[in-house]
Amino acid sequence: MIKAMFFDLDGTLLNSEKRVPASAMHALEDCKRQGIRLFIATGRSPRLREMLGWTEEQEDFFDGGVYCNGACIKTAEGIVYTRIPPEVVTRAVACVNACPGLNIALQMMDGSHAFNHPLSEAVYGPWGIDASGVRPVCQAHGEKTVKMLVYFENLVDSVTPIPQSVICDMRRICEGGARLYVTDGGKVLQIVHRDASKYEGVEKVRRMLGIGRDEVAVFGDDMNDLEMLRGYEYAVAMGNACDEIKTQVKRVTKSNDEDGIAHAIREILRTC
């Protein structure tokens, strides 16, 4: 019997308009009525009200979440962060600054952000911040960084792939101290502490709940979901997921714009 479900947001629970479809909400409400605990498992920070315009009621609908690719765990007991080693942050910033036009954003424990280049004014909203809250990258920020993002353009409108030379350099920088994910079709690098991942975050919550691995269902679509999807029997890849994801899980549902979550939940509850 499934007792807890964990949902990635972008490309999974959210449709292409960054909204939870009505079909998914009805399925989630059915889960709640059956006593199933519901959690977020996302690369985003916990600032969902600011980033997605969620209400307090929408946020409280979930029992907690795994945020920042596992570097932030939020439950009723509070929030726990895992910081990236400062030396990794310093070297990553230097690497990015050596590549013209490449951006790096540091997400910190207090929810603030630091950038090596300012974003376009119009795109601060999707980041959950405004221009007054943006800080330039400085050495002090390395002491409290939980996640780094590397990208071209403004992230939300990125179309330029990260050069392979930069990816290789960043892998060397992260080796032994941090975990690097190449996501969004190669256009974004996501970096967290080596011990942080969605899988490890789900495991922490699972143990806290005192439930078995076969009582957990997880849903995702991108490379930062792969460890989580590999880790559980009831794992679902979205129809819009990349091929590498879909070939490594037993269950593939419809896309996030075709009621994929609602369809997958019905199938899991019917068969488990």
Side-chain angles (χ1 to χ4, degrees):
M1 176 183 294
I2 299 297
K3 294 185 179 179
M5 293 183 175
F6 293 79
F7 301 89
D8 170 54
L9 287 177
D10 298 276
T12 301
L13 186 59
L14 302 179
N15 59 22
S16 58
E17 297 178 348
K18 303 301 181 184
R19 296 287 184 266
V20 181
S23 61
M25 278 306 305
H26 293 153
L28 295 176
E29 289 165 354
D30 286 341
C31 290
K32 295 275 277 191
R33 284 191 285 270
Q34 296 179 50
I36 298 172
R37 309 285 290 274
L38 304 176
F39 297 87
I40 300 297
T42 181
R44 290 178 180 263
S45 77
R47 299 168 61 88
L48 300 185
R49 290 189 227 177
E50 294 86 353
M51 288 185 289
L52 296 172
W54 283 18
T55 64
E56 184 176 358
E57 182 180 11
Q58 285 175 297
E59 198 170 42
D60 291 345
F61 181 81
F62 294 90
D63 295 282
V66 175
Y67 297 91
C68 300
N69 288 331
C72 172
I73 309 297
K74 182 179 179 181
T75 64
E77 285 70 36
I79 300 180
V80 177
Y81 289 98
T82 303
R83 294 175 295 172
I84 301 171
E87 62 273 16
V88 173
V89 178
T90 299
R91 293 176 64 198
V93 170
C95 176
V96 169
N97 284 339
C99 183
L102 191 59
N103 297 288
I104 188 167
L106 312 184
Q107 296 182 343
M108 291 168 283
M109 291 173 57
D110 60 1
S112 62
H113 294 67
F115 300 85
N116 66 328
H117 300 130
L119 297 173
S120 298
E121 186 75 26
V123 300
Y124 281 116
W127 282 81
I129 55 179
D130 57 44
S132 64
V134 174
R135 309 176 186 181
V137 170
C138 70
Q139 188 170 357
H141 294 145
E143 300 292 331
K144 51 187 177 180
T145 298
V146 297
K147 182 185 173 186
M148 294 186 286
L149 291 164
V150 178
Y151 54 92
F152 284 103
E153 290 84 43
N154 295 292
L155 183 65
V156 296
D157 57 359
S158 293
V159 295
T160 306
I162 306 295
Q164 284 300 314
S165 59
V166 172
I167 295 175
C168 291
D169 288 343
M170 293 298 281
R171 289 195 191 281
R172 285 192 291 269
I173 290 169
C174 292
E175 187 174 4
R179 190 186 300 263
L180 182 145
Y181 297 104
V182 182
T183 64
D184 299 82
K187 296 188 290 292
V188 179
L189 305 184
Q190 303 189 40
I191 302 165
V192 292
H193 189 278
R194 65 181 179 186
D195 295 332
S197 69
K198 290 188 182 185
Y199 169 74
E200 294 295 342
V202 172
E203 278 294 280
K204 289 176 183 177
V205 176
R206 180 187 68 78
R207 290 192 292 266
M208 190 182 305
L209 295 175
I211 62 177
R213 295 167 60 84
D214 59 349
E215 296 175 310
V216 170
V218 296
F219 305 77
D221 75 299
D222 209 340
M223 294 306 297
N224 56 333
D225 300 313
L226 184 56
E227 295 144 326
M228 178 178 74
L229 293 171
R230 282 174 171 168
Y232 300 95
E233 177 183 354
Y234 295 104
V236 179
M238 303 302 293
N240 49 284
C242 58
D243 290 340
E244 186 171 353
I245 294 292
K246 290 192 284 190
T247 57
Q248 298 196 48
V249 298
K250 296 179 181 177
R251 296 174 176 84
V252 179
T253 187
K254 299 177 181 180
S255 79
N256 61 327
D257 285 326
E258 298 174 310
D259 300 320
I261 287 295
H263 179 78
I265 288 176
R266 286 195 300 268
E267 287 297 304
I268 285 179
L269 296 184
R270 181 178 63 84
T271 59
C272 72

